[in-house]
Amino acid sequence: MNKSQSIAELGKALIKAQTEFPEIQKTKEVIVQTQKGSYVFKYAPLEKTLPLVRPILARHGIGFTQGAVGETLETLIFHESGEWIEF
């Protein structure tokens, strides 16, 4: 994880935004096979999640972007103050 020197304002904004997030129904599932058997993993699809959380994040001055770097997905969360976290 990398971050700006301070993430105080970003942290405050994330806390406020998270209190406004609605409950998002897990409507998709995938069966995962392991050496010990299989199990069902349920999740909320991104196409249902993003329209619900983006306006809340924006209201608190938060944005994000994701991109593939090799076989890794990197996420950058940034705040209008200039603070950021990358992981």
Side-chain angles (χ1 to χ4, degrees):
M1 178 178 84
N2 295 310
K3 62 181 181 63
S4 56
Q5 187 172 5
S6 171
I7 57 168
E9 295 303 312
L10 173 57
K12 289 179 204 175
L14 278 170
I15 289 168
K16 290 177 182 177
Q18 289 173 352
T19 65
E20 296 180 32
F21 290 163
E23 176 124 6
I24 301 171
Q25 296 298 314
K26 295 178 180 179
T27 60
K28 298 280 187 170
E29 61 183 47
V30 63
I31 299 173
V32 178
Q33 301 290 336
T34 68
Q35 292 178 345
K36 296 181 180 181
S38 63
Y39 64 95
V40 175
F41 176 72
K42 293 185 178 184
Y43 65 96
L46 200 55
E47 67 269 12
K48 300 288 185 185
T49 304
L50 290 179
L52 297 174
V53 300
R54 274 191 172 140
I56 297 167
L57 292 171
R59 196 164 42 250
H60 293 281
I62 303 167
F64 68 93
T65 186
Q66 292 183 308
V69 178
E71 294 183 12
T72 303
L73 177 65
E74 289 190 357
T75 301
L76 174 64
I77 300 173
F78 47 90
H79 185 253
E80 61 190 9
S81 67
E83 296 175 347
W84 55 273
I85 302 172
E86 178 183 51
F87 51 96

